[in-house]
């Protein structure tokens, strides 16, 4: 009796399929985006944490710098009355692990108050 040839086993096809898949995917896996090589490292954390407290016409800003670089902070006030002068306080430097208190006031009421940061 004559036996017909058996079909190739699936295991015999696996190495060729794996090699073909690797040949297609290898360039994608090893490619480095062009912009990734030119990028600067991510910026270091910076900026003191500030809390602004407003009571009637007086403002107190308390800032703490947990980072190793100094931060220049400045308190800004916008007064509610049109004739009241808005103010920008003097810049204060906060060194690492230091806390500063910033104060300001309007004649009548404070509309908004915020703290700006600079390196």
């Amino acid at each position: 009796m004559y036996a017909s040839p058996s079909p190739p086993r699936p295991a015999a096809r696996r190495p060729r399929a794996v090699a073909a898949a690797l040949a297609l995917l290898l360039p994608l896996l090893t490619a480095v985006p062009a912009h990734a090589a030119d990028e600067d490292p991510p910026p270091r954390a910076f900026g003191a944490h500030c809390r602004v407290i407003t009571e009637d016409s007086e403002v107190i800003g308390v800032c703490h710098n947990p980072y190793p670089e100094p931060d220049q902070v400045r308190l800004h006030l916008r007064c509610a009355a049109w004739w009241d002068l808005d103010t920008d306080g003097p810049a204060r430097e906060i060194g690492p692990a230091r806390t500063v208190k910033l104060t300001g006031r309007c004649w009548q009421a404070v509309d908004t108050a915020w703290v700006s940061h600079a390196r």
Side-chain angles (χ1 to χ4, degrees), residues 79-86 106-109:
C79 300
W82 64 268
W83 48 264
D84 206 347
L85 295 176
D86 299 339
C106 293
W107 282 101
Q108 275 194 338

Side-chain angles (χ1 to χ4, degrees), residues 58-108:
E58 295 184 9
V59 177
I60 298 171
V62 179
C63 298
H64 175 74
N65 184 10
Y67 301 112
E69 293 182 24
D71 185 7
Q72 298 277 335
V73 293
R74 176 179 258 180
L75 181 66
H76 304 273
L77 301 178
R78 178 160 294 140
C79 300
W82 64 268
W83 48 264
D84 206 347
L85 295 176
D86 299 339
T87 58
D88 298 320
R92 298 269 314 266
E93 183 173 304
I94 306 175
R98 299 285 183 191
T99 301
V100 298
K101 181 178 176 182
L102 308 168
T103 59
R105 65 174 291 134
C106 293
W107 282 101
Q108 275 194 338

Side-chain angles (χ1 to χ4, degrees), residues 8 11-21:
R13 284 188 244 164
R14 256 189 221 132
R16 279 188 259 150
V18 170

